[in-house]
């Protein structure tokens, strides 16, 4: 964005929002820590800078909104293994609503993406529950992938799922190497899922042709 008083005001508002994200995560996770607030606010500021440098100029504000939501979701999932509806559902709605701005993808692609995203994780969770008799992937992940489909369109979902799966496997492998007692411990899949969502938003789907 070129210099203007308006852009400075928007940047100041964004920084204020970044500072406010820490207390939001604390409330959702039921914890209090000034270090946590500092880490999360720093992550938001870094995400703002990343979005500013990588997103299309007309998508910077949308990128900042997405960044804040994803930081909240990743942090909450990491702390308490939960992706709150208070964030995933508005994020899903925002993705659908972006079609009103005449931004690609189309409304149909966004709706299809949201449906496919939710059903993909929901079906995997159902099959896992039937085979193992216990919960595996939560429906919070399904709602997050639905939000990804609403923002990216259905064509972006394969890349999100692939990147998130690779990230989850690396996470599990590293954790197992560090502590072999963690093999059966749950993985906060929302963390690699939010990272994959962010990368595909900024850089587009993987080109594997």
């Amino acid at each position: 964005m070129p210099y203007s008083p308006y852009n400075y005001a928007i940047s100041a508002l964004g920084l204020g929002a970044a500072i406010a994200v820490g207390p939001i995560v604390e409330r959702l996770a039921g914890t209090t820590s000034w270090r946590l607030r500092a880490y999360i606010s720093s992550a938001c500021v870094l995400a703002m800078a990343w979005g500013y440098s990588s997103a299309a100029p007309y998508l910077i504000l949308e990128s900042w909104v997405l960044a804040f939501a994803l930081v909240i979701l990743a942090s909450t999932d990491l702390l308490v293994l939960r992706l709150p509806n208070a964030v995933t559902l508005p994020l899903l709605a925002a993705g659908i609503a972006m079609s009103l701005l005449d931004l690609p993808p189309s409304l149909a692609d966004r709706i299809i993406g949201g449906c496919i995203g939710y059903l993909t994780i929901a079906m995997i969770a159902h099959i896992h529950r039937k085979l193992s008799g216990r919960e595996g992937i939560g429906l919070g992940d399904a709602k997050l992938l639905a939000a990804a489909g609403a923002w990216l369109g259905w064509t972006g979902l394969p890349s999100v799922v692939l990147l998130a799966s690779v990230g989850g496997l690396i996470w599990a492998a590293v954790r197992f190497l560090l502590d072999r007692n963690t093999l059966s411990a749950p993985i906060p899949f929302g963390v690699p899922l939010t990272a994959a969502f962010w990368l595909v938003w900024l850089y587009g789907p993987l080109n594997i042709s």
Side-chain angles (χ1 to χ4, degrees), residues 70 73-74 76-78 80-85 88-89 91-92 113-125 135-149 157 160-161 164-165 168 186-195 197:
L70 294 181
L73 290 169
T76 306
D77 199 29
L78 185 61
V80 294
L81 294 174
R82 186 168 64 88
L83 295 169
N85 290 336
T88 54
L89 296 183
L91 189 62
L92 170 61
C115 293
I116 292 176
Y118 182 84
L119 291 174
T120 298
I121 299 293
M123 288 177 61
I124 293 173
E135 294 292 336
I137 300 176
L139 290 183
D141 297 305
K143 295 165 190 172
L144 176 54
L145 190 59
L157 287 178
V160 173
V161 172
S165 299
I187 294 174
F189 188 62
V191 177
L193 191 54
T194 54
F197 186 170

Side-chain angles (χ1 to χ4, degrees), residues 55-66:
Y58 59 89
L59 289 176
I60 289 176
L61 291 181
E62 290 85 349
S63 297
W64 287 357
V65 171
L66 178 60

Side-chain angles (χ1 to χ4, degrees), residues 13 33 44 47 75 80 91 112 129 140 154 173 182 188 190 198-199:
L13 183 62
S33 168
C44 287
S75 302
V80 294
L91 189 62
I112 293 171
R129 186 166 54 250
W154 66 270
T182 62
W198 178 245
L199 290 173

Side-chain angles (χ1 to χ4, degrees), residues 19-20 24-25 44 51 70 80 86 96 104 112 132 137-138 147 167 169 171 187:
I19 294 172
I24 292 173
V25 172
C44 287
L70 294 181
V80 294
I96 300 295
I112 293 171
S132 67
I137 300 176
L169 288 173
W171 182 304
I187 294 174

Side-chain angles (χ1 to χ4, degrees), residues 165-180 182-183 187:
S165 299
V166 171
L169 288 173
I170 293 174
W171 182 304
V174 171
R175 190 177 65 175
F176 177 71
L177 291 174
L178 295 175
D179 183 359
R180 296 181 182 273
T182 62
L183 182 60
I187 294 174

Side-chain angles (χ1 to χ4, degrees), residues 2-45:
Y3 163 78
S4 74
Y6 169 78
N7 289 336
Y8 269 137
I10 291 297
S11 298
L13 183 62
L15 290 173
I19 294 172
V21 167
I24 292 173
V25 172
E26 284 185 331
R27 182 169 183 176
L28 292 171
T31 185
T32 302
S33 168
W34 69 266
R35 287 188 178 88
L36 177 65
R37 290 195 298 271
Y39 291 149
I40 291 173
S41 296
S42 298
C44 287
V45 172

